[in-house]
Amino acid sequence: MATEHLTRTELGRALGLEAGDVALPVSARSLTRREMLARDWREIRWIVPAYLLLILAAGATVALADTIPDRVRWLPLGFAAGAIALGIFAWLRLRRSRSYEDPMIAVEVADDAVTLRSGGDTVVKAYEALNVVRVVTRAPRKSLYFDGVVLDTELGRIVLGDPDFADGNVAAGAILRRFEALGLTVGPRA
């Protein structure tokens, strides 16, 4: 997708920034360990039924076809190896959520400022002082998706978006809408 030929409105629509076109204040919070684990399980839960369906199809083929038993004797070993490979794949996918520690970050986007909370620390930033380093997007298969923004704050770099926050894209979109309304630009500030 050639984004340089899009107007600001078209780019906002393509990125899904209309999510930020909501009544303020908007809040987002970092995901808990349980929410992160549930999200990762949703990504891999289709594996077991799909694999069982594959085993059922192979078993039906062997039972209904004229086969020589010696030629299909390897099937159980092949399916066992496949099950081990899928188990390793699932374990690797869930590794992130097992080691995840909730940073307990909360972001509130209001008309005049953004409030960031982490633990006992609270930072209130006016939009003119807020440092939005970049807009996070991904572009699989010639599509463009909005994944949030990166904020440079006194609490450290915060990647505000749905992958690590509840309602993260809505809050990130609201920040970008306020930036546009105030005529501010996104990018690192000195």
Side-chain angles (χ1 to χ4, degrees), residues 8 12 14 18 25 35 45 49 79 83 88 100 102-103 110-111 133 138 156 165-166 173 186:
R8 264 185 177 266
E18 61 270 3
E35 290 169 327
R45 69 177 175 207
F79 282 112
I88 291 170
Y100 177 77
D102 183 4
D111 284 324
V133 179
R138 59 188 162 88
F165 283 84
V186 173

Side-chain angles (χ1 to χ4, degrees), residues 43-73:
E43 290 179 5
I44 64 168
R45 69 177 175 207
W46 60 270
I47 292 174
V48 172
Y51 194 66
L52 290 176
L53 187 61
L54 180 67
I55 291 173
L56 184 65
T61 302
V62 169
L64 298 175
D66 292 332
T67 59
I68 300 171
D70 289 340
R71 290 192 180 167
V72 293
R73 194 168 281 169

Side-chain angles (χ1 to χ4, degrees), residues 1-4 6 14 142-144:
M1 178 178 220
T3 58
E4 65 271 6
L6 297 177
K142 298 182 182 181
S143 296
L144 191 61

Side-chain angles (χ1 to χ4, degrees), residues 7 9 13 31 51 63 66 68 72 78 102 104 114 118 124 136 139 142 155 158 163 168 174 183:
T7 66
T9 305
R13 195 170 26 258
L31 296 176
Y51 194 66
D66 292 332
I68 300 171
V72 293
D102 183 4
M104 302 178 82
V114 175
S118 177
V124 178
V136 181
K142 298 182 182 181
L155 302 174
I158 297 173

